[in-house]
Amino acid sequence: MRNKKNVHFHIYISYFFTGLILIFAIAMGTVLFTRMSTIILSQADSSYALIGNEVASNVKDIYEPVRNQTEILAQSQPVSGKNLNERLNHVNYLAKAIVSVKSATSAYVGFSNGEFFLLRQYAKSNGSKGIFKAPLNTAWIVQSTSVDSDKLQEHVVYLDDKLNEIERQSIPARNYDPRSRGWYETAMKNPAQANVSEPYYFFTTGQIGVTYAQKIVDADAVVGIDIELPTIHETIRNSSVTPSTRMALIDRKGQLLAWQNGKQSAYKPQIITRLDGVQSLPTLAEQDAPVLNKINEMASANTQSSQALEMIGKTWATYQASIQIPGGQDLRILIASPHDELLAGVIKMRRQSIALFVLLLAIGLGLTTYFSRLASKPLKQLNDEASKIARFDFKSPIKIESRIKEIADLSNSMRGMKATIRSFLDIASSLASETNYDKLLARVLKEMSEITEAKSGILYLYQPQEQAMQVVQAYVDHQVLETTAHGISMTDENHPVIKACKSRSSICRLQAEELASHFSALPTTDHATTLIAIPLKDRNNTLVGAIALVIDDADIDPGRQAMAEAVSGAAAVAIENQRLIQEQKALLEAFIQLIASAIDAKSPYTGGHCQRVPVLTKLLAQAACKETEGPFAGFQLSEAEWEELHIAAWLHDCGKVTTPEYIVDKATKLETLYDRIHEIRMRFEVLKRDAQIDYWQAIANGGNATELKTQLDANLAKLDCDFAFLAECNEGGEFMAPDKVARIQDIAGRHWLRTLSDRIGISHDEKERKNRTTEPCLPVQEQLLSDKPEHIFTRSTRDTITPDNPWGFKVKVPEHLYNRGEVYNLTVARGTLSEEERYKINEHMIQTIVMLEKLPFPRHLARVPEIAGGHHEKMDGTGYPKRLAAADMSIPARMMAIADIFEALTAADRPYKKGKTLSEAIKIMSFMKKDQHIDAELFSLFLKSGTYLEYAKMFMNTDQIDEFDIHAYV
């Protein structure tokens, strides 16, 4: 099922007002914009007709004044005289005509005899500056062709603005005959009026233009005035209505006299020669002007029109009209302008109206939304606060105000709810975070007392073995105190606390006598009080304890009582959790000490080593923590680290449980589960008996009794001496000389006769070892001492430490597990242990680390294997089992190395040695410091702090504690 999307409350409030505004706005906007658009389009069509008439009038104004001036000049003799100088005297008539007509560029007279006189206004003529090299201040140029001495002479005269001659130049004949020009011929044929020519190239300037010409009255001459087409084009361009307006002036043949194509470059008229040889101007149809061509197609002769046209993606306002040219054929003006440019002002006004309307609409909507938000804002804030409570965000109190009573009441209720929940969570969090059991009990009592505003209170813990409620702590005058008050038996059903424990929390009034009777640990009072008794039960509803709270007020706030009852559940769980943790820690502590005691009890050779090393290690750690300067100034241990050190110290030799007792206790070289010197003694006894038997047999066979007796005594003495030597070697020593080794090997070369099988009545393992060789036939000669294959105990894969082992052990593992060869063991160079047995002794460190790393220690005890397994490492990296250097070891691990050595040196309960005195032990350890076997800085702290002496007074005999100069070793 699809969930419905929720909408904000203020949107619901503003729906009605917004709907009314939108309906009104849409209705008004539709009417207003429709009528305005109609008016705009109608105004555009009518206005464009006026614009078109104005442009047509401007074009007509180019031709009309020129025709008029031409007719005026034709009625007068503008240039009289027979030569250039005489004609120059009348040049002012032509100048006035040119000046009075803006579109005229030059005026001239062509005579019937071929003479020609032309006045050109230098500034107006487009081509003059490129042809004439006019001197400075030239304003007018006269071009003259006159007959002089029956020859045509051509001159150019430059005049200033006062018509004064500046310079005169005679130029080569150009063969220009006015009588051959079209304007002259047309004027002579139609002398009654001024006639305009077809566009043609002007002879001198090369510009394209038209000429108005008329025959002069009573003279065989024609007067003419030129109009350049660029002048017409300039008029068209200046009449452009908008930047993108298209305008064209064409004749009846469609030739372009002037053309303005929007923002494109200016049109330059040019006469072209067509394929049939006819010369003409380009036509409109040949140009890229689809709009103007469309207008031309739609035009009717001798009419004007203005209408809208849709082309090339735009709406165009168009105008076309015929222009009557006096003395010539009619021209047609075509104009087109985009609506968006033509009506830009009107459209801008409409857009401004729309913008104003939208602005007013937005303001109306904004005000509607604002006031609706203003009304719904407190509700939204309360919703946000509810969301914060759901996210357990209690950082800030609720401060929401509203003029609406219901919202204000809801705000106050939520403010109280948030404060209550925050207080509950803070209390529950603080109780859960407290790891110290005694502090937890004190905090529970204090928090419960502050919640109920109690002046005093008592915390009880249930003791199931005694079936009683034990008084733990009391709350008096805002302080938690220890108390020795008697507990309450669970059988005392009249006690208010016992009543509450068997049901639920209860409230009752207590008289002063009852308070003193039931709660002797609390101060007495002279007035009645209110008692709140709240049982503490864990998650399984099991009784953990109870709290009794005494309040002066007769009535208690129900909210505070409910809060106290809610907190009591969290408090009971916290107490039970900490109690379980304490019991588990006690169990772990007992188990650890059980292992250590078992190891110490396993062999008298270790004595109380596992119990004394933890004490000495912690004494040294305490000394380091007290340091305020030197290398240990910043050394401190947290409560968890103290626990970690404690456990590591107690378990530092736990691997010894895997070490065979006979190896730990091995006092002689041949000792295993028993001392095999007795077997060798028996063999010597057999040899002595054999010697005596040989003696008596020889006597019986008639031998010399005296000689045989002497020989017998010598043999017996030799056997006694050899056995005594072997017995001495069996005891071990600091050094086995090579001559002694040679003598042992020599003694081993003797033989004795075995007549019984040595493979019967033995264990399966021993039989397997003996079966490595074939059993010889009996009787057999056996060596007195031998190293047999059966003496070798092979090492299994499980007992092998590979170089890439996961623990990082770096030890040399002997090839065999054990070698019990008699010669091999008797020739051990030092002590009583063979290489295999010494490795087995040292292997206890490997087993300690392996065993401890298998244990799932919690995170705060994660370093126990490292601390416990490093006390046989040396600071120079030559120790075992990992060959760690000082930098690789933690400070607690280095402390334990010192503690382990000092305890071993000074222990007085070893059966195999006498405990060293303080001076002897410190001297030995100073050599170890020098050889970088122990940490030099910790050894100095060990001496300077007096840790050695404090330990000595605790565990060493009085005769061991001697004086020595500590400064010699610091």
Side-chain angles (χ1 to χ4, degrees), residues 588 850-865:
L588 176 63
V850 172
M851 291 165 61
L852 292 179
E853 288 193 355
K854 286 182 179 180
L855 295 178
F857 284 110
R859 282 173 292 181
H860 72 283
L861 301 177
R863 293 193 306 161
V864 166

Side-chain angles (χ1 to χ4, degrees), residues 405-600:
K405 183 179 184 305
E406 289 78 2
I407 297 178
D409 292 342
L410 179 60
S411 176
N412 292 332
S413 298
M414 287 192 65
R415 184 182 301 115
M417 178 183 70
K418 185 173 183 179
T420 301
I421 295 176
R422 178 178 182 178
S423 177
F424 174 80
L425 292 178
D426 288 346
I427 293 172
S429 177
S430 64
L431 294 179
S433 62
E434 183 59 68
T435 57
N436 186 287
Y437 186 61
D438 293 332
K439 291 181 180 179
L440 173 63
L441 297 177
R443 177 168 288 185
V444 168
L445 180 57
K446 184 177 181 181
E447 295 289 356
M448 297 285 283
S449 300
E450 291 178 350
I451 289 172
T452 57
E453 297 183 342
K455 71 172 186 177
S456 60
I458 294 180
L459 174 64
Y460 298 90
L461 288 182
Y462 176 58
Q463 302 297 331
Q465 296 86 355
E466 302 172 5
Q467 284 294 299
M469 300 294 288
Q470 176 189 357
V471 178
V472 180
Q473 292 172 338
Y475 177 80
V476 180
D477 294 332
H478 304 287
Q479 292 184 348
V480 178
L481 307 174
E482 298 291 336
T483 179
T484 58
H486 295 293
I488 310 170
S489 173
M490 294 298 293
T491 60
D492 187 359
E493 297 182 356
N494 294 324
H495 199 288
V497 173
I498 301 301
K499 290 180 180 179
C501 291
K502 294 186 176 181
S503 58
R504 50 179 301 176
S505 62
S506 63
I507 302 176
C508 64
R509 293 288 290 174
L510 289 180
Q511 299 301 321
E513 298 79 9
E514 292 176 310
L515 177 65
S517 173
H518 293 310
F519 305 102
S520 59
L522 299 180
T524 59
T525 181
D526 56 359
H527 58 274
T529 56
T530 300
L531 173 71
I532 303 178
I534 303 175
L536 301 178
K537 296 183 178 181
D538 62 14
R539 60 178 67 88
N540 297 320
N541 204 33
T542 302
L543 184 65
V544 176
I547 291 182
L549 303 170
V550 179
I551 303 172
D552 280 338
D553 297 335
D555 297 324
I556 182 173
D557 183 358
R560 290 187 175 274
Q561 180 185 359
M563 178 71 170
E565 291 176 354
V567 171
S568 68
V573 172
I575 292 173
E576 184 63 17
N577 288 341
Q578 285 301 316
R579 178 181 283 183
L580 289 174
I581 292 174
Q582 292 296 322
E583 291 174 351
Q584 288 175 355
K585 284 186 177 181
L587 177 62
L588 176 63
E589 178 70 16
F591 185 71
I592 290 172
Q593 293 188 17
L594 176 67
I595 293 175
S597 299
I599 293 172
D600 285 344

Side-chain angles (χ1 to χ4, degrees), residues 101-174:
V101 180
K102 185 178 181 181
S103 56
T105 59
S106 60
Y108 44 84
V109 177
F111 298 94
S112 58
N113 61 355
E115 291 183 321
F116 181 73
F117 185 86
L118 178 146
L119 178 65
R120 185 187 308 278
Q121 190 172 5
Y122 185 61
K124 277 188 177 180
S125 180
N126 289 312
S128 299
K129 294 179 175 60
I131 296 173
F132 301 101
K133 295 181 180 179
L136 191 64
N137 297 326
T138 297
W140 300 88
I141 298 175
V142 174
Q143 292 177 254
S144 173
T145 302
S146 59
V147 178
D148 186 8
S149 302
D150 297 329
K151 291 183 179 180
L152 290 176
Q153 299 290 329
E154 294 193 23
H155 294 87
V156 176
V157 181
Y158 299 99
L159 307 177
D160 60 15
D161 57 352
K162 304 290 186 182
L163 297 177
N164 297 319
E165 184 176 337
I166 299 174
E167 182 181 337
R168 181 181 299 190
Q169 296 177 357
S170 177
I171 60 176
R174 296 178 299 162

